[in-house]
């Protein structure tokens, strides 16, 4: 147990070929329930995500990226704090909103960043305490459903993506005008069940005739995101900016077969993609070039990667994740893993370069699934010599991740942060 905990606390980083010349702005787009299996699809002769498909060609795209949890607030906790989600329906934002963690907004703030988030729902949806948690851990401002005018178009979850992106643009304009770098995150709503979106666009109307309303909502999201992103780029508002696009989790509703042992049913909640796009003012072929990356990665890898890009990676952190920036230019980190946790389905998972191991908690068997989730899964006993090492590693992560949260033993900023520790100016060293 002590050995596993020590490994979780150790800084594990890739190496960016050269740091960026100046600290970039960071824009993070969490797309509700974005499932990478639906990217590049054509339904009834209509491309579902043509803009995201084109943007992939301009980005570093992680094709084996996973959400660590199966719900929004578990995903946000992993993405902001690089810590394993608790195996519980109650996320740490709800149970530990008064605790200090070393999360991304706080680490960036100490490097001069202003950090904000825009969401289209209430900050207290499901008693998540997201506002309290984020304020405690470094966020300067959280703009939620109450920020929008009363007559703003809404769906069951909150404000529609059209209005959400308009507010995000407004915040980008304001933050760009200030003389300091910024971190801005947002979370969309329209690809959440029941997928109610306005039929204003002809292709959205056409897709309403088919049976899967998620596809219709995804087409709407792609249209609104293209309008938002293209407008920012046209008006110079993405200058000196890195944009990350990912799902807070994969699609909740099962597709295909619905059997308990079906591979897609077991893994689908975690199949979120990751795009990393960098403005031309930052691009240097020695540090970034558009490519598809095959290494295994997950949400906990975001904080160390972003902090590496900004030159603010502390020398010592409690982060579980690893710095992925080396993958922007070359193959690396072949030994990286992803931990998966879904209390609602009583499932744990471990992903490595050899595939996916899914384990129904307290069962005597698990399922091996290929990384692409394309073939049939294979059942193995947890004591099988070919499965046992994965099972032991999975359970070690499960026990450690939950125990650290339950006992509130994750290192906090106040406990170990030296204000001068690891804060390095993003300079260009001599090759």
């Amino acid at each position: 147990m002590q050995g596993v905990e020590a490994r979780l606390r150790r800084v594990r980083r890739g190496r960016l070929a050269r740091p960026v010349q100046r600290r970039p702005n960071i824009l993070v787009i969490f797309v509700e329930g974005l499932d990478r299996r639906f990217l590049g699809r054509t339904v009834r002769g209509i491309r579902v995500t043509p803009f995201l498909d084109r943007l992939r060609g301009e980005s570093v795209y992680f094709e084996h990226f996973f959400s660590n949890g199966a719900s929004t607030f578990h995903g946000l906790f992993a993405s902001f704090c690089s810590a394993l989600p608790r195996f519980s329906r109650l996320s740490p934002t709800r149970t530990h909103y008064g605790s200090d963690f070393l999360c991304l907004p706080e680490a960036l703030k100490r490097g001069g960043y202003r950090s904000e988030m825009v969401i289209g729902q209430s900050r207290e949806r499901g008693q998540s305490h997201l506002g309290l948690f984020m304020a405690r851990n470094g966020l300067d401002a959280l703009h939620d459903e109450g920020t929008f005018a009363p007559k703003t178009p809404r769906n069951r979850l909150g404000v529609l993506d059209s209005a959400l992106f308009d507010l995000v643009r407004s915040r980008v304009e304001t933050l760009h005008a200030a003389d300091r770098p910024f971190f801005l995150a947002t979370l969309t709503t329209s690809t959440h069940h029941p997928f109610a979106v306005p039929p204003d666009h002809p292709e959205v109307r056409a897709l309403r005739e088919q049976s899967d309303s998620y596809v219709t909502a995804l087409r709407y999201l792609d249209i609104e995101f293209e309008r938002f992103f293209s407008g920012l780029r046209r008006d110079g508002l993405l200058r000196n900016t890195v944009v990350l696009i990912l799902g807070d989790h994969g699609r909740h509703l099962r597709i295909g077969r619905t059997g308990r042992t079906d591979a897609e049913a077991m893994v689908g909640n975690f199949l979120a993609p990751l795009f990393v796009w960098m403005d031309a003012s930052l691009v240097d072929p020695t540090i970034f070039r558009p490519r598809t990356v095959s290494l295994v990665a997950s949400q906990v890898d975001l904080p160390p990667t972003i902090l590496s890009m900004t030159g603010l990676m502390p020398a010592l952190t409690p982060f579980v994740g690893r710095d992925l920036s080396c993958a922007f230019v070359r193959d690396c980190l072949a030994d990286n893993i992803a931990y998966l946790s879904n209390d609602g389905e009583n499932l744990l998972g471990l992903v490595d370069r050899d595939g996916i191991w899914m384990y129904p908690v307290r069962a005597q068997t698990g399922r091996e699934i290929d990384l692409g989730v394309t073939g049939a899964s294979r059942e193995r006993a947890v004591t099988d010599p070919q499965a046992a090492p994965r099972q032991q590693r999975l359970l070690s992560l499960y026990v450690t991740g939950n125990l650290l949260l339950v006992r509130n033993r994750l290192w906090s900023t106040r406990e170990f942060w030296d204000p001068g520790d690891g804060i390095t100016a993003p300079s260009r060293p001599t090759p």
Side-chain angles (χ1 to χ4, degrees):
M1 172 64 193
Q2 291 179 347
V4 174
E5 184 174 336
R7 286 196 297 273
L8 284 176
R9 292 179 182 276
R10 190 176 302 143
V11 176
R12 299 177 299 161
R13 292 183 284 177
R15 294 188 179 181
L16 190 66
R18 297 178 185 175
V20 294
Q21 290 181 298
R22 57 190 180 278
R23 288 189 178 135
N25 303 315
I26 305 294
L27 178 60
V28 179
I29 313 292
F30 291 97
V31 177
E32 168 65 43
L34 182 60
D35 190 319
R36 64 173 179 264
R37 293 172 294 179
F38 289 82
L39 301 178
R41 280 197 179 190
T42 298
V43 176
R44 292 196 170 190
I46 297 172
R47 287 282 295 277
V48 178
T49 55
F51 180 70
L52 284 175
D53 298 341
R54 292 197 303 273
L55 195 63
R56 174 175 173 172
E58 303 175 28
S59 308
V60 174
Y61 177 78
F62 291 79
E63 64 177 352
H64 295 145
F65 186 81
F66 295 82
S67 64
N68 297 107
S71 66
T72 295
F73 297 110
H74 283 93
L76 293 180
F77 176 68
S79 298
F80 286 132
C81 303
S82 190
L84 301 180
R86 186 180 175 188
F87 190 69
S88 168
R89 284 182 172 85
L90 303 180
S91 74
T93 67
R94 181 174 178 180
T95 59
H96 290 72
Y97 59 87
S99 299
D100 292 310
F101 300 100
L102 177 57
C103 297
L104 188 56
E106 180 66 33
L108 290 171
K109 176 185 288 189
R110 290 170 181 259
Y113 277 74
R114 177 172 175 83
S115 297
E116 296 189 7
M117 187 172 186
V118 178
I119 59 175
Q121 55 193 261
S122 167
R123 67 184 66 196
E124 281 299 319
R125 182 174 72 89
Q127 296 181 325
S128 68
H129 300 318
L130 180 65
L132 293 173
F133 180 90
M134 296 303 294
R136 181 80 177 190
N137 288 281
L139 197 73
D140 293 303
L142 176 62
H143 309 276
D144 71 347
E145 188 176 14
T147 308
F148 296 84
K151 294 185 178 180
T152 302
R154 287 169 165 81
N155 56 23
R156 184 184 298 179
L157 183 63
V159 172
L160 285 175
D161 290 344
S162 56
L164 178 79
F165 285 133
D166 287 343
L167 180 57
V168 175
R169 178 190 165 99
S170 175
R171 295 312 306 155
V172 170
E173 291 173 347
T174 299
L175 293 168
H176 244 294
D179 189 23
R180 63 187 294 193
F182 67 81
F183 169 83
L184 178 62
T186 190
L187 170 65
T188 68
T189 65
S190 298
T191 42
H192 188 283
H193 187 268
F195 314 119
V197 295
D200 300 337
H201 193 279
E203 291 187 349
V204 173
R205 288 196 300 272
L207 287 172
R208 294 179 74 180
E209 301 301 319
Q210 52 86 47
S211 60
D212 190 351
S213 52
Y214 174 81
V215 170
T216 309
L218 193 56
R219 182 71 195 100
Y220 165 79
L221 173 280
D222 191 76
I223 291 168
E224 291 300 331
F225 184 64
E226 179 178 15
R227 177 181 66 85
F228 162 74
F229 190 94
S230 299
L232 290 180
R233 183 154 55 176
R234 178 194 64 231
D235 298 334
L237 293 172
L238 291 180
R239 178 175 45 84
N240 193 38
T241 300
V242 177
V243 182
L244 297 93
I245 306 153
L246 67 152
D248 58 339
H249 50 75
R251 184 180 180 179
H252 275 155
L253 298 180
R254 297 176 175 182
I255 62 176
R257 297 169 295 164
T258 58
R260 183 75 187 153
T261 60
D262 174 60
E264 286 194 336
M266 298 180 85
V267 184
N269 286 331
F270 308 102
L271 298 179
L274 172 65
F275 300 72
V276 180
W277 179 92
M278 190 176 289
D279 177 54
S281 64
L282 299 170
V283 170
D284 181 319
T286 64
I287 65 169
F288 184 91
R289 59 184 178 90
R291 63 194 298 261
T292 295
V293 177
S294 296
L295 72 88
V296 172
S298 66
Q299 291 168 331
V300 294
D301 297 317
L302 295 181
T305 302
I306 291 172
L307 291 173
S308 174
M309 287 191 289
T310 59
L312 295 172
M313 185 66 177
L316 185 65
T317 78
F319 295 154
V320 175
R322 301 173 75 176
D323 170 18
L324 304 176
S325 59
C326 59
F328 295 173
V329 290
R330 60 181 173 84
D331 294 337
C332 61
L333 301 177
D335 62 340
N336 204 32
I337 65 166
Y339 169 83
L340 315 178
S341 173
N342 183 353
D343 174 74
E345 296 289 336
N346 202 41
L347 282 172
L348 297 172
L350 182 73
V351 188
D352 58 28
R353 58 187 170 188
D354 296 321
I356 306 170
W357 172 250
M358 297 301 298
Y359 171 63
V361 177
R362 298 187 180 88
Q364 298 302 310
T365 61
R367 286 273 165 178
E368 285 184 338
I369 305 164
D370 66 277
L371 270 178
V373 197
T374 54
S377 62
R378 179 176 179 178
E379 188 171 19
R380 286 191 183 276
V382 295
T383 55
D384 187 314
Q386 294 188 22
R390 275 178 165 177
Q391 178 70 1
Q392 291 169 3
R393 190 175 194 183
L394 173 62
L395 293 181
S396 295
L397 293 168
Y398 161 73
V399 171
T400 305
N402 282 272
L403 189 61
L404 289 173
L405 278 170
V406 169
R407 294 187 178 178
N408 200 24
R409 292 182 61 194
L410 281 174
W411 291 355
S412 73
T413 307
R414 295 179 182 179
E415 287 176 323
F416 78 97
W417 183 290
D418 176 349
D421 180 30
I423 302 299
T424 56
S427 59
R428 180 176 295 276
T430 301

